[in-house]
Each structure stands twice: as C-alpha cells, then as structure tokens.
Amino acid sequence: MCGIMAYLGNQKAAPIILEGLKRLEYRGYDSAGMVMIPDDSLVLFKKKGKVSQLEAAMKDHQPKATIGMGHTRWATHGVPDDINAHPHITHSGRLAIIHNGIVENYSELKTALLKEGYTFKSETDTEVFGNLVDYYMHRDETSLEIAMSKALKKIHGAYAFVMMDRQDPDRLIVAKRQSPIVIGIGDEEFFVASDATPIIQHTNKVIYLEDNEIAVIDRSQGLIIKNYDNRVLSKEVHQLDLKLEELEKGGYEHFMLKEIYNQPQSISDCMRGRVNSDESWIVLGGLKSSLDKILDCRRIVMIGCGTSWHSALIGEYLFEDLARISTEVEYASEFRYRNPVIDSNDVAIVISQSGETIDTLAAAELAKSRGAFVYGVVNVVGSSIARMTDSGSYIHAGPEIGVASTKAFTGQVTLLTLMALMLGRKKGNISQKTYKKLISELEKIPSYVSEVLELTEQIKYIASEIKDCPNALYLGRGYNFPVALEGALKLKEISYIHAEGYPAAEMKHGPIALIDENMPVIVIATNGSDYDKVVNNIQEVKSRKAKIIAIVNRGDHVVKGLADHVIEVPETLDPLTPLVSVIPLQLLSYYVAVMRNCNVDQPRNLAKSVTVE
Ligand code: M6R
C-alpha cells in the first residue's frame, strides 16, 4: 500500500516521477505528492485525490530539478487530505520523507520529540520518523544517512522510506523493512520504486533492496548498499523480464476487463512448458526439486489472504482429492499471530499474487522459522515472498493491475491443480488413465474460458437486473464453494453491494432467513460437485421467492426450469470446474460495478498490494 517513486539523474525529475506514480496508483490513490530540490530548497506539491490532480496542480510549476521523489497514498494514520499526503518536510525544513508502511511506536516517539520542541503538521507516523531523523542529525551534527540509521534502530513496524536533504541535492537515502523497494540502474541515473512497473520503461537492470538495508544513491559515487551497521554489501543486479504493453489497458475500458479477457492466454502461459497431454506428463521445476520434501510431509498448510485464500481453499480440495495429502487452509493474518502448531514435518504453501502482502510474508517467515518447508505460489517475479521461500512456482499471469484479482485467481488455481496432479500421480493415487484424462481436459480449459467470455451480452443483461439490489447471496458446493466465496468478494469489492458466499447446504443454518423476493441468489450448479444436492438447495431458495441466477453446464434442463436466469458454461471434470465457473461471476461483478458508476480498477478504500497490517 502506498506507491513510492524517486529519481536521481540528469533528466528533469518531475515528469518521470509523475509517470511512475501513475503506474503505482493501484497501490493507493487517496492523495499524492512530490518534492524536488531544484537549487538548495525543497519544492513541495501535495494534493488530495488522484495523481492526475497532483499533475494538474503542478502544471506550469514543474521545477527543472534532477532529483525528486513522489508518493501515492493509501491512508493509515490520518485522513486522506493535502496535509497528511506525502512527502513530509521535517521540523527544521531541511529534510523530506516519503514512506510506505506503518511505524507502530510512532506515538511514544512523537511524545518524546514534542518534549524536544518539535512540532508536527500532519497526523502521520511518517512525519514522526522524519522528525526523529532530523533530531539525530542536528543533535549529533551528522549526515542524513547516519541519522537515519540511528532512527531506524528506534522504530518497530514495516517501512520503505526515501529521504532527501535540501543541503545535499546529489543524494537519496532509502531504507527498507518488509515493504518492497526496487532500485533501477540506468545510465548515470537511478529510479527508486515500490515495484518494477515504473522502472521498466527506463531500464531493465534492477536491485531488490532487502530488509534492514540502506541504499545511498549518490550522483558521483553511484549506488552503495549497506546494512544498518554501515557495512557495505554486494548485491546482485537482476534483469527485468517485463513488457511495457503489459502495463497498458490495450483498448479495454478497464484493466479488470482486460485481465478477465486475458485469461485464456494467462492460463495457457501458466501451463506452458509444464504440461504435455500427448506424453501425459506434468513437470513443475520448483516442485520437482522439492518433491521428496512434499511427498514425505505430515500435512500441507496453505496460506493466503483475500482471493489468494480462496485459491488456497480450492487447493485444499485438490490436494486432498487428487494427492491424498492432508491439507489445511489458513488466513495469513490469523496464522501469524495465533501460535500455530507447525514444524519441520509440515510444508507451507504460501499463495500471493503480489508476493508483497505483509501478512502472507510474515506467515511464511513464521512457518520457515519453525522449520517448515515453504513453497511459494506467486505471480510477481522477484517479489518479497518469491525471494524468501525455499522453493516455488510462478503462475506467469503477467502484471495484474485492476485491484480485483481475476487472472491471478485462475493462474493460482491452475498452478495448484498442476501441483496436485503431479503429487497425486507420484504417490500413485491417480491412475495413468485418470491422469491422462485430467491433463488433456486441463489443456482445454483456455478454450472453455474463451467460450464463456462470449456470454458477455447475456451477463450484462443479468447485471442490469441485479445492479440495484443491496445484497446478494452466492452458493456452491464442493469445488464450487470457494468459487461462491470468490464471486461474492468480487461483487462487494468493486460494486459495494453487500454479498456473502456460502456452501449451499449451510444456507439452512442461518442465511436463509435473509432470503426474500429482493435477494438475488447466484448458485453454481454445474455437473459434479453434488449437483442433485445443489438442485435441492435451489428449490429451497425458490420457495422463498429469491431471484435465482444459476451457472450450469450446457444442456441443463432441470435448473433451467427453476432459475430466473441460467448462464450455460462448458462442462469439464469436477476438479477443473472452478476455472470455468468463476468466469461468469467475474464478468457479472464487473458489469454491475460499471452500471453503478463505480471505479472498477481502483475501488474505494482498497489497494492492490496490502503491505500494511
Ligand atoms: O497479492 P495477494 O494475492 O497476496 O493479495 C491478497 C489479497 O489482498 C487480494 O487477493 C484481494 O483480496 C483482492 N482485492 C481480491 O480481488
């Protein structure tokens, strides 16, 4: 959460930073700001709202500075307004700071600084840290870098900080713990950002800053990375493999729509080189090298948040059904704080699109510290989770920019399916015949998804019918239960309609009381997954006069006779069903949100990467 972008080089900094902030806006979009040092003064711009509003405020006022830093905010401490927007200037007026993360002990530090005569303009924890650095710098008459190292030792929490000193317009100082920072290395210029997306158009050479490291970026000395004890570290330079067009909307109205339509491709990309139906094999490099570890484990714990947690639930069904390995699913935020029983007999599979979700990262670290083997299922290459795991597989979905996760979900489910099949076959739980059948059906999934995408007009019509409902209920059983949860999450996060997902049979234990003629009930009733039982549940809903929208397989007549609308999708094997049945739910929530004039790609209060607790 929050996007950081800084520049030091020979070009005018402002346009580079503005462009970078636009790419990072998915990380937070309630206010934005920028500071530059054109001579020996700090020139500051801050604006509540989007980066475009900052850009408008800066129009005709952009200084020629070649050093600067900008920020797009997702508010934690203090409401979104011009004052709480970053950057912040410290009490002495000498230093500027931007921050992604939370300084947890800011309150006690603030009290101490107030006693020293420091004053504060904002309500943020960031300004407190900035003033602490300012305090050490003046008290000890030392450099920004040394003062920052001292202050870093006094704080708890997660952070990526960038600071500048107006008396030293040739230096940026960057520090990190838990919040991501990537440094791009150009030709006598440097780019600092929360992720690689704003860097790729300038250079493909990057360094990932690790926890408890400080980067000193100096116009004449270049990039020096140290630990907090001032020891210089040597770092690997990585080559980015990212295409600029992947970061554009490519003619679609929203990133989310582009990403929904990209799924036939992204699912294929996830399988490319890993599956061969003619010869009946699946090979995942990361899994192959850790096969014994996983086959011998006592149980698997799958960990994630939000949509990634839903993928984990499907993973549990797949791993227990196909590989017969005991599997549990955990919310990362609960797992990390509840003293879980996990040790070297266990394997943790951590699932994250961004690879930066702070709770998932912390849960993975906890599992590792207790001796568990940690396997990552991640989309963003080089992200923090990808770097800390013992082994793992990328889902290769490409950049997902819409806040609502779509292609990452199907990528995660595809990858977990490949893992479950590979493990199941190795364990001898799946016969060669079933294995072959599942693999060849899996290869057809991208074309099934394309067929569902052709149902857009029908789904738009259904969206127009339910767009004004205040509530919605999603039901599914078996493999489609997590899909119901995912459908409900999609609807609530982008259209602000209250929605709940339930295992269809659980409805009778409470939620049925909510049902009346105003409640749309979206039921996934594909063949398999206890079809007959789901039909019974539909009958129960119908008796309470709900408006029923059912996802069924082509040719279904039973549900057609009961539902108000049926969306017919191609039939596939039960374990593969989620990859098809989720697509109409993604489209439905998209069109409802569009019809309600919601900001689809940047829904209120949300951010793409949740890098604060
Ligand atoms: O990047 P991650 O997969 O770790 O993110 C986890 C959740 O924050 C994410 O899935 C969130 O729930 C999405 N907005 C759902 O669409």
PDB file of all heavy atoms in Angstrom, residues 337-368:
ATOM      1  N   TYR A 337      -0.354 -14.812  14.054  1.00  0.00           N
ATOM      2  CA  TYR A 337      -0.456 -14.338  15.439  1.00  0.00           C
ATOM      3  C   TYR A 337      -1.024 -15.365  16.410  1.00  0.00           C
ATOM      4  O   TYR A 337      -1.191 -15.079  17.576  1.00  0.00           O
ATOM      5  CB  TYR A 337      -1.321 -13.069  15.499  1.00  0.00           C
ATOM      6  CG  TYR A 337      -0.589 -11.855  14.975  1.00  0.00           C
ATOM      7  CD1 TYR A 337      -1.068 -11.144  13.882  1.00  0.00           C
ATOM      8  CD2 TYR A 337       0.601 -11.431  15.571  1.00  0.00           C
ATOM      9  CE1 TYR A 337      -0.384 -10.045  13.395  1.00  0.00           C
ATOM     10  CE2 TYR A 337       1.291 -10.333  15.076  1.00  0.00           C
ATOM     11  CZ  TYR A 337       0.800  -9.644  13.999  1.00  0.00           C
ATOM     12  OH  TYR A 337       1.485  -8.563  13.518  1.00  0.00           O
ATOM     13  N   ARG A 338      -1.368 -16.587  15.912  1.00  0.00           N
ATOM     14  CA  ARG A 338      -2.072 -17.457  16.848  1.00  0.00           C
ATOM     15  C   ARG A 338      -1.239 -18.646  17.342  1.00  0.00           C
ATOM     16  O   ARG A 338      -1.795 -19.636  17.775  1.00  0.00           O
ATOM     17  CB  ARG A 338      -3.396 -17.934  16.233  1.00  0.00           C
ATOM     18  CG  ARG A 338      -3.260 -18.892  15.069  1.00  0.00           C
ATOM     19  CD  ARG A 338      -4.560 -19.544  14.699  1.00  0.00           C
ATOM     20  NE  ARG A 338      -4.344 -20.477  13.629  1.00  0.00           N
ATOM     21  CZ  ARG A 338      -3.826 -21.686  13.800  1.00  0.00           C
ATOM     22  NH1 ARG A 338      -3.503 -22.108  14.997  1.00  0.00           N
ATOM     23  NH2 ARG A 338      -3.640 -22.482  12.763  1.00  0.00           N
ATOM     24  N   ASN A 339       0.044 -18.529  17.269  1.00  0.00           N
ATOM     25  CA  ASN A 339       0.944 -19.568  17.757  1.00  0.00           C
ATOM     26  C   ASN A 339       0.581 -20.937  17.184  1.00  0.00           C
ATOM     27  O   ASN A 339       0.270 -21.878  17.922  1.00  0.00           O
ATOM     28  CB  ASN A 339       0.901 -19.595  19.290  1.00  0.00           C
ATOM     29  CG  ASN A 339       2.063 -20.398  19.859  1.00  0.00           C
ATOM     30  OD1 ASN A 339       3.033 -20.694  19.144  1.00  0.00           O
ATOM     31  ND2 ASN A 339       1.972 -20.775  21.119  1.00  0.00           N
ATOM     32  N   PRO A 340       0.603 -21.074  15.867  1.00  0.00           N
ATOM     33  CA  PRO A 340       0.157 -22.325  15.255  1.00  0.00           C
ATOM     34  C   PRO A 340       1.134 -23.467  15.496  1.00  0.00           C
ATOM     35  O   PRO A 340       2.329 -23.241  15.702  1.00  0.00           O
ATOM     36  CB  PRO A 340       0.120 -21.985  13.763  1.00  0.00           C
ATOM     37  CG  PRO A 340       1.115 -20.896  13.605  1.00  0.00           C
ATOM     38  CD  PRO A 340       1.100 -20.114  14.874  1.00  0.00           C
ATOM     39  N   VAL A 341       0.596 -24.683  15.450  1.00  0.00           N
ATOM     40  CA  VAL A 341       1.461 -25.869  15.543  1.00  0.00           C
ATOM     41  C   VAL A 341       1.964 -26.144  14.128  1.00  0.00           C
ATOM     42  O   VAL A 341       1.201 -26.527  13.246  1.00  0.00           O
ATOM     43  CB  VAL A 341       0.673 -27.076  16.078  1.00  0.00           C
ATOM     44  CG1 VAL A 341       1.557 -28.322  16.066  1.00  0.00           C
ATOM     45  CG2 VAL A 341       0.150 -26.795  17.466  1.00  0.00           C
ATOM     46  N   ILE A 342       3.225 -25.887  13.909  1.00  0.00           N
ATOM     47  CA  ILE A 342       3.830 -26.144  12.593  1.00  0.00           C
ATOM     48  C   ILE A 342       5.311 -26.389  12.818  1.00  0.00           C
ATOM     49  O   ILE A 342       5.950 -25.703  13.626  1.00  0.00           O
ATOM     50  CB  ILE A 342       3.559 -24.988  11.598  1.00  0.00           C
ATOM     51  CG1 ILE A 342       4.082 -25.343  10.196  1.00  0.00           C
ATOM     52  CG2 ILE A 342       4.128 -23.653  12.074  1.00  0.00           C
ATOM     53  CD1 ILE A 342       3.454 -24.538   9.072  1.00  0.00           C
ATOM     54  N   ASP A 343       5.849 -27.389  12.144  1.00  0.00           N
ATOM     55  CA  ASP A 343       7.270 -27.692  12.341  1.00  0.00           C
ATOM     56  C   ASP A 343       7.861 -28.317  11.078  1.00  0.00           C
ATOM     57  O   ASP A 343       7.247 -28.260  10.007  1.00  0.00           O
ATOM     58  CB  ASP A 343       7.476 -28.573  13.581  1.00  0.00           C
ATOM     59  CG  ASP A 343       6.722 -29.891  13.482  1.00  0.00           C
ATOM     60  OD1 ASP A 343       6.572 -30.399  12.344  1.00  0.00           O
ATOM     61  OD2 ASP A 343       6.288 -30.413  14.517  1.00  0.00           O
ATOM     62  N   SER A 344       9.009 -28.934  11.237  1.00  0.00           N
ATOM     63  CA  SER A 344       9.740 -29.417  10.055  1.00  0.00           C
ATOM     64  C   SER A 344       9.051 -30.597   9.369  1.00  0.00           C
ATOM     65  O   SER A 344       9.470 -31.015   8.286  1.00  0.00           O
ATOM     66  CB  SER A 344      11.161 -29.803  10.456  1.00  0.00           C
ATOM     67  OG  SER A 344      11.093 -30.763  11.483  1.00  0.00           O
ATOM     68  N   ASN A 345       7.983 -31.124   9.974  1.00  0.00           N
ATOM     69  CA  ASN A 345       7.229 -32.189   9.287  1.00  0.00           C
ATOM     70  C   ASN A 345       6.186 -31.620   8.327  1.00  0.00           C
ATOM     71  O   ASN A 345       5.517 -32.365   7.622  1.00  0.00           O
ATOM     72  CB  ASN A 345       6.483 -33.050  10.317  1.00  0.00           C
ATOM     73  CG  ASN A 345       7.462 -33.775  11.211  1.00  0.00           C
ATOM     74  OD1 ASN A 345       8.358 -34.446  10.716  1.00  0.00           O
ATOM     75  ND2 ASN A 345       7.309 -33.614  12.516  1.00  0.00           N
ATOM     76  N   ASP A 346       6.028 -30.305   8.370  1.00  0.00           N
ATOM     77  CA  ASP A 346       4.971 -29.677   7.580  1.00  0.00           C
ATOM     78  C   ASP A 346       5.537 -28.910   6.395  1.00  0.00           C
ATOM     79  O   ASP A 346       6.690 -28.485   6.399  1.00  0.00           O
ATOM     80  CB  ASP A 346       4.176 -28.692   8.448  1.00  0.00           C
ATOM     81  CG  ASP A 346       3.541 -29.390   9.643  1.00  0.00           C
ATOM     82  OD1 ASP A 346       2.961 -30.469   9.434  1.00  0.00           O
ATOM     83  OD2 ASP A 346       3.658 -28.867  10.766  1.00  0.00           O
ATOM     84  N   VAL A 347       4.683 -28.696   5.423  1.00  0.00           N
ATOM     85  CA  VAL A 347       5.021 -27.844   4.280  1.00  0.00           C
ATOM     86  C   VAL A 347       4.005 -26.708   4.251  1.00  0.00           C
ATOM     87  O   VAL A 347       2.803 -26.943   4.387  1.00  0.00           O
ATOM     88  CB  VAL A 347       4.961 -28.636   2.957  1.00  0.00           C
ATOM     89  CG1 VAL A 347       5.029 -27.698   1.751  1.00  0.00           C
ATOM     90  CG2 VAL A 347       6.106 -29.642   2.889  1.00  0.00           C
ATOM     91  N   ALA A 348       4.504 -25.482   4.120  1.00  0.00           N
ATOM     92  CA  ALA A 348       3.593 -24.334   3.969  1.00  0.00           C
ATOM     93  C   ALA A 348       3.608 -23.911   2.513  1.00  0.00           C
ATOM     94  O   ALA A 348       4.683 -23.689   1.944  1.00  0.00           O
ATOM     95  CB  ALA A 348       4.041 -23.188   4.860  1.00  0.00           C
ATOM     96  N   ILE A 349       2.436 -23.845   1.923  1.00  0.00           N
ATOM     97  CA  ILE A 349       2.338 -23.303   0.558  1.00  0.00           C
ATOM     98  C   ILE A 349       1.728 -21.917   0.682  1.00  0.00           C
ATOM     99  O   ILE A 349       0.584 -21.772   1.127  1.00  0.00           O
ATOM    100  CB  ILE A 349       1.491 -24.210  -0.358  1.00  0.00           C
ATOM    101  CG1 ILE A 349       2.164 -25.586  -0.474  1.00  0.00           C
ATOM    102  CG2 ILE A 349       1.318 -23.567  -1.738  1.00  0.00           C
ATOM    103  CD1 ILE A 349       1.487 -26.556  -1.436  1.00  0.00           C
ATOM    104  N   VAL A 350       2.528 -20.897   0.366  1.00  0.00           N
ATOM    105  CA  VAL A 350       2.034 -19.524   0.518  1.00  0.00           C
ATOM    106  C   VAL A 350       1.648 -18.999  -0.854  1.00  0.00           C
ATOM    107  O   VAL A 350       2.394 -19.134  -1.818  1.00  0.00           O
ATOM    108  CB  VAL A 350       3.056 -18.595   1.210  1.00  0.00           C
ATOM    109  CG1 VAL A 350       3.171 -18.932   2.667  1.00  0.00           C
ATOM    110  CG2 VAL A 350       4.413 -18.650   0.546  1.00  0.00           C
ATOM    111  N   ILE A 351       0.445 -18.424  -0.905  1.00  0.00           N
ATOM    112  CA  ILE A 351      -0.124 -18.031  -2.195  1.00  0.00           C
ATOM    113  C   ILE A 351      -0.332 -16.520  -2.196  1.00  0.00           C
ATOM    114  O   ILE A 351      -0.978 -15.975  -1.294  1.00  0.00           O
ATOM    115  CB  ILE A 351      -1.465 -18.770  -2.417  1.00  0.00           C
ATOM    116  CG1 ILE A 351      -1.237 -20.282  -2.300  1.00  0.00           C
ATOM    117  CG2 ILE A 351      -2.070 -18.409  -3.769  1.00  0.00           C
ATOM    118  CD1 ILE A 351      -2.509 -21.104  -2.288  1.00  0.00           C
ATOM    119  N   SER A 352       0.232 -15.866  -3.194  1.00  0.00           N
ATOM    120  CA  SER A 352       0.086 -14.410  -3.255  1.00  0.00           C
ATOM    121  C   SER A 352       0.315 -13.937  -4.681  1.00  0.00           C
ATOM    122  O   SER A 352       1.318 -14.289  -5.296  1.00  0.00           O
ATOM    123  CB  SER A 352       1.095 -13.747  -2.321  1.00  0.00           C
ATOM    124  OG  SER A 352       1.060 -12.356  -2.471  1.00  0.00           O
ATOM    125  N   GLN A 353      -0.598 -13.124  -5.177  1.00  0.00           N
ATOM    126  CA  GLN A 353      -0.404 -12.521  -6.494  1.00  0.00           C
ATOM    127  C   GLN A 353       0.794 -11.596  -6.445  1.00  0.00           C
ATOM    128  O   GLN A 353       1.742 -11.751  -7.201  1.00  0.00           O
ATOM    129  CB  GLN A 353      -1.678 -11.754  -6.892  1.00  0.00           C
ATOM    130  CG  GLN A 353      -1.694 -11.174  -8.297  1.00  0.00           C
ATOM    131  CD  GLN A 353      -0.837  -9.947  -8.523  1.00  0.00           C
ATOM    132  OE1 GLN A 353      -0.017  -9.933  -9.465  1.00  0.00           O
ATOM    133  NE2 GLN A 353      -0.929  -8.942  -7.687  1.00  0.00           N
ATOM    134  N   SER A 354       0.726 -10.623  -5.543  1.00  0.00           N
ATOM    135  CA  SER A 354       1.751  -9.576  -5.498  1.00  0.00           C
ATOM    136  C   SER A 354       3.081 -10.082  -4.956  1.00  0.00           C
ATOM    137  O   SER A 354       4.135  -9.547  -5.289  1.00  0.00           O
ATOM    138  CB  SER A 354       1.275  -8.435  -4.604  1.00  0.00           C
ATOM    139  OG  SER A 354       1.058  -8.932  -3.282  1.00  0.00           O
ATOM    140  N   GLY A 355       3.003 -11.073  -4.080  1.00  0.00           N
ATOM    141  CA  GLY A 355       4.218 -11.515  -3.390  1.00  0.00           C
ATOM    142  C   GLY A 355       4.669 -10.503  -2.343  1.00  0.00           C
ATOM    143  O   GLY A 355       5.783 -10.582  -1.826  1.00  0.00           O
ATOM    144  N   GLU A 356       3.804  -9.528  -2.032  1.00  0.00           N
ATOM    145  CA  GLU A 356       4.185  -8.482  -1.082  1.00  0.00           C
ATOM    146  C   GLU A 356       3.207  -8.348   0.071  1.00  0.00           C
ATOM    147  O   GLU A 356       3.424  -7.506   0.944  1.00  0.00           O
ATOM    148  CB  GLU A 356       4.280  -7.112  -1.786  1.00  0.00           C
ATOM    149  CG  GLU A 356       5.259  -7.039  -2.943  1.00  0.00           C
ATOM    150  CD  GLU A 356       6.713  -7.217  -2.520  1.00  0.00           C
ATOM    151  OE1 GLU A 356       6.998  -7.208  -1.307  1.00  0.00           O
ATOM    152  OE2 GLU A 356       7.563  -7.392  -3.407  1.00  0.00           O
ATOM    153  N   THR A 357       2.116  -9.105   0.085  1.00  0.00           N
ATOM    154  CA  THR A 357       1.122  -8.954   1.145  1.00  0.00           C
ATOM    155  C   THR A 357       1.796  -9.203   2.493  1.00  0.00           C
ATOM    156  O   THR A 357       2.357 -10.284   2.728  1.00  0.00           O
ATOM    157  CB  THR A 357      -0.043  -9.936   0.916  1.00  0.00           C
ATOM    158  OG1 THR A 357      -0.592  -9.628  -0.359  1.00  0.00           O
ATOM    159  CG2 THR A 357      -1.112  -9.812   1.980  1.00  0.00           C
ATOM    160  N   ILE A 358       1.727  -8.218   3.358  1.00  0.00           N
ATOM    161  CA  ILE A 358       2.575  -8.262   4.559  1.00  0.00           C
ATOM    162  C   ILE A 358       2.223  -9.430   5.480  1.00  0.00           C
ATOM    163  O   ILE A 358       3.104 -10.072   6.047  1.00  0.00           O
ATOM    164  CB  ILE A 358       2.559  -6.906   5.302  1.00  0.00           C
ATOM    165  CG1 ILE A 358       3.741  -6.842   6.253  1.00  0.00           C
ATOM    166  CG2 ILE A 358       1.248  -6.663   6.007  1.00  0.00           C
ATOM    167  CD1 ILE A 358       4.122  -5.470   6.667  1.00  0.00           C
ATOM    168  N   ASP A 359       0.910  -9.723   5.591  1.00  0.00           N
ATOM    169  CA  ASP A 359       0.521 -10.826   6.473  1.00  0.00           C
ATOM    170  C   ASP A 359       0.995 -12.166   5.901  1.00  0.00           C
ATOM    171  O   ASP A 359       1.421 -13.053   6.645  1.00  0.00           O
ATOM    172  CB  ASP A 359      -1.005 -10.843   6.663  1.00  0.00           C
ATOM    173  CG  ASP A 359      -1.457  -9.754   7.626  1.00  0.00           C
ATOM    174  OD1 ASP A 359      -0.728  -9.476   8.593  1.00  0.00           O
ATOM    175  OD2 ASP A 359      -2.530  -9.182   7.404  1.00  0.00           O
ATOM    176  N   THR A 360       0.912 -12.316   4.597  1.00  0.00           N
ATOM    177  CA  THR A 360       1.338 -13.574   3.969  1.00  0.00           C
ATOM    178  C   THR A 360       2.849 -13.739   4.099  1.00  0.00           C
ATOM    179  O   THR A 360       3.350 -14.829   4.400  1.00  0.00           O
ATOM    180  CB  THR A 360       0.888 -13.611   2.490  1.00  0.00           C
ATOM    181  OG1 THR A 360      -0.485 -13.248   2.437  1.00  0.00           O
ATOM    182  CG2 THR A 360       1.085 -14.980   1.873  1.00  0.00           C
ATOM    183  N   LEU A 361       3.544 -12.637   3.910  1.00  0.00           N
ATOM    184  CA  LEU A 361       5.005 -12.662   4.058  1.00  0.00           C
ATOM    185  C   LEU A 361       5.387 -13.041   5.497  1.00  0.00           C
ATOM    186  O   LEU A 361       6.239 -13.921   5.720  1.00  0.00           O
ATOM    187  CB  LEU A 361       5.557 -11.276   3.692  1.00  0.00           C
ATOM    188  CG  LEU A 361       7.061 -11.060   3.760  1.00  0.00           C
ATOM    189  CD1 LEU A 361       7.798 -12.021   2.834  1.00  0.00           C
ATOM    190  CD2 LEU A 361       7.418  -9.620   3.378  1.00  0.00           C
ATOM    191  N   ALA A 362       4.718 -12.417   6.455  1.00  0.00           N
ATOM    192  CA  ALA A 362       5.041 -12.702   7.862  1.00  0.00           C
ATOM    193  C   ALA A 362       4.677 -14.145   8.215  1.00  0.00           C
ATOM    194  O   ALA A 362       5.409 -14.816   8.960  1.00  0.00           O
ATOM    195  CB  ALA A 362       4.300 -11.727   8.771  1.00  0.00           C
ATOM    196  N   ALA A 363       3.556 -14.630   7.682  1.00  0.00           N
ATOM    197  CA  ALA A 363       3.145 -16.015   7.959  1.00  0.00           C
ATOM    198  C   ALA A 363       4.175 -16.983   7.378  1.00  0.00           C
ATOM    199  O   ALA A 363       4.531 -17.991   8.008  1.00  0.00           O
ATOM    200  CB  ALA A 363       1.761 -16.278   7.362  1.00  0.00           C
ATOM    201  N   ALA A 364       4.670 -16.671   6.178  1.00  0.00           N
ATOM    202  CA  ALA A 364       5.683 -17.528   5.550  1.00  0.00           C
ATOM    203  C   ALA A 364       6.963 -17.529   6.385  1.00  0.00           C
ATOM    204  O   ALA A 364       7.592 -18.574   6.595  1.00  0.00           O
ATOM    205  CB  ALA A 364       5.970 -17.034   4.135  1.00  0.00           C
ATOM    206  N   GLU A 365       7.314 -16.352   6.891  1.00  0.00           N
ATOM    207  CA  GLU A 365       8.528 -16.268   7.720  1.00  0.00           C
ATOM    208  C   GLU A 365       8.363 -17.064   9.016  1.00  0.00           C
ATOM    209  O   GLU A 365       9.290 -17.731   9.467  1.00  0.00           O
ATOM    210  CB  GLU A 365       8.867 -14.806   8.010  1.00  0.00           C
ATOM    211  CG  GLU A 365       9.614 -14.192   6.833  1.00  0.00           C
ATOM    212  CD  GLU A 365       9.626 -12.670   6.822  1.00  0.00           C
ATOM    213  OE1 GLU A 365       8.968 -12.052   7.696  1.00  0.00           O
ATOM    214  OE2 GLU A 365      10.267 -12.111   5.916  1.00  0.00           O
ATOM    215  N   LEU A 366       7.161 -16.999   9.576  1.00  0.00           N
ATOM    216  CA  LEU A 366       6.898 -17.747  10.809  1.00  0.00           C
ATOM    217  C   LEU A 366       7.013 -19.250  10.544  1.00  0.00           C
ATOM    218  O   LEU A 366       7.679 -19.984  11.289  1.00  0.00           O
ATOM    219  CB  LEU A 366       5.498 -17.405  11.342  1.00  0.00           C
ATOM    220  CG  LEU A 366       5.045 -18.229  12.537  1.00  0.00           C
ATOM    221  CD1 LEU A 366       5.854 -17.861  13.776  1.00  0.00           C
ATOM    222  CD2 LEU A 366       3.560 -18.035  12.823  1.00  0.00           C
ATOM    223  N   ALA A 367       6.374 -19.704   9.457  1.00  0.00           N
ATOM    224  CA  ALA A 367       6.419 -21.133   9.128  1.00  0.00           C
ATOM    225  C   ALA A 367       7.872 -21.581   8.937  1.00  0.00           C
ATOM    226  O   ALA A 367       8.291 -22.635   9.429  1.00  0.00           O
ATOM    227  CB  ALA A 367       5.598 -21.396   7.867  1.00  0.00           C
ATOM    228  N   LYS A 368       8.636 -20.739   8.252  1.00  0.00           N
ATOM    229  CA  LYS A 368      10.047 -21.070   7.995  1.00  0.00           C
ATOM    230  C   LYS A 368      10.833 -21.121   9.302  1.00  0.00           C
ATOM    231  O   LYS A 368      11.631 -22.034   9.533  1.00  0.00           O
ATOM    232  CB  LYS A 368      10.628 -20.008   7.065  1.00  0.00           C
ATOM    233  CG  LYS A 368      11.878 -20.424   6.339  1.00  0.00           C
ATOM    234  CD  LYS A 368      12.279 -19.330   5.375  1.00  0.00           C
ATOM    235  CE  LYS A 368      13.296 -19.828   4.404  1.00  0.00           C
ATOM    236  NZ  LYS A 368      13.690 -18.800   3.453  1.00  0.00           N
TER     237      LYS A 368
END
